[in-house]
Every structure is written in C-alpha cells, then in structure tokens.
Amino acid sequence: MALFHRKRAADAGHATTDRATAVLDAGPDLTALTGDYTIDPAHSRIGFTVRHAMVTNVRGAFGTHEGTLHLDDADPARSTATVDVTIASVDTGIADRDAHLRGTDFFDADTFPLMTFRSTAAERVGGDTYRVTGDLTIKDVTRPLTIDLEFQGAATDVYGAERVGFEGSAEILRSDWGLTWNAALETGGVMVSDKVKLTFDISAVKATA
C-alpha cells in the first residue's frame, strides 16, 4: 500500500469553490505527493506535556521552529525529516517558568540554542500510521528517538500550495539528555516528572519546481 493514500472523508466527493482547501483526488497513483516539503511553522506545533508536583500536567510548546520533509511514496523507507527548534521560544504561559526553563537549570538556551532532530529510518506500521526514528540532540547530547505519526491527509490550499499533514507523539526521559533539575516535595515525590510527552502537529508545503 502506498505511503500517502488517505483522503479526508468529510471532503470526499464534495469539493466546492468556497472551501478553504480542496482535497487531492484519491486514486491508485499518488506519486504527486512524493517530493520535498518545508514545515510551515504558522500552521504547525511542537509541544510537550510533563507532570508537575505529582498532581497535574504542565503543557507548553516551542514557538520558533523550522524543518523539512522528503516523502517517497514508492519507497517509504527513503522518506526523511529534519527539525530545528529554537529553545528560547519555549512557552508554557508563565513568564517566570519559561525563564527557568531557558536557564542553566534546564535547557541553558544561551549555550545550546537549538534542539534538533535528524531522521535515520522511516516505516509504515499499519493504516495511516508511520514510525520515524532519528537522532534527537539537546544540550549537545544526541540519543535516538522514535516518533509515531498519523498521516492526516493532503490538500491544495487557497494559494495553490500542496500541503500534507501529520500528527504524532513520543515519550522521553528528560534525564537521558542531561535535563536533571528537580526539587523534592514535602509530601514526597518531586516537582517535575522525568517522563515528558512530546507532541507534533505538522503541516508541510511542497516545494515548487
């Protein structure tokens, strides 16, 4: 089965001139989706969730990032992804907490301004779900990361740009990348969980010839 095959059910057979996007026709030949794409930061989100004080979750995102995709419909294993995230753009909604995250207790953004991901393998694992494995680098520590992604569909937007969408997540232990700061709670446990969930909502635009 081809890598890029899904047509959004709500749009199938119902394209109209006043729609914001028109979904590409589904068919046996979807090689038009093969090619190079640039991640659109205005319509993408790279976020995270971490347990705080043992009782609730803190959610945040990195507002500045860029990346590329190479999609290969004929041979999904040849698909690739690169992402560069600006650490100083971290945003959890509380300025003091964001400053702490940018500081030396956590990311040390002045010394290590970027978090990067470079894929090393890609595979289809069933349905619209794909698995991308690569190297995640934080604070000059590089370790493997596997991200499960769901293909959300392909569309041509009102400006004529061809887009693809993916949504996915991964879990890491922040201590594996040297992010070890914590504080003990009087009632037991710690302030910040070691486990962090990363989330990815990606919209990418195909390069024009």
Side-chain angles (χ1 to χ4, degrees), residues 39-151:
I39 294 175
D40 177 5
H43 297 93
S44 302
R45 186 177 190 272
I46 297 176
F48 59 89
T49 303
V50 61
R51 198 75 171 162
H52 176 260
M54 310 295 290
V55 296
T56 190
N57 289 320
V58 168
R59 292 176 173 83
F62 295 93
T64 303
H65 53 81
E66 61 184 22
T68 61
L69 305 176
H70 173 74
L71 306 182
D72 192 319
D73 179 70
D75 185 0
R78 298 181 65 181
S79 298
T80 61
T82 71
V83 180
D84 293 336
V85 176
T86 300
I87 293 297
S89 70
V90 64
D91 182 6
T92 65
I94 297 178
D96 287 347
R97 181 165 60 203
D98 296 342
H100 192 195
L101 290 172
R102 289 191 294 266
T104 56
D105 282 343
F106 283 96
F107 288 110
D108 193 2
D110 287 341
T111 305
F112 307 101
L114 291 179
M115 173 172 60
T116 65
F117 177 80
R118 300 290 184 266
S119 68
T120 56
E123 61 178 322
R124 177 177 179 271
V125 295
D128 291 320
T129 302
Y130 303 88
R131 183 163 293 152
V132 178
T133 300
D135 294 326
L136 176 66
T137 301
I138 305 173
K139 296 180 69 172
D140 277 358
V141 177
T142 300
R143 296 181 62 88
L145 175 69
T146 296
I147 306 169
D148 286 336
L149 294 163
E150 183 180 3
F151 176 55

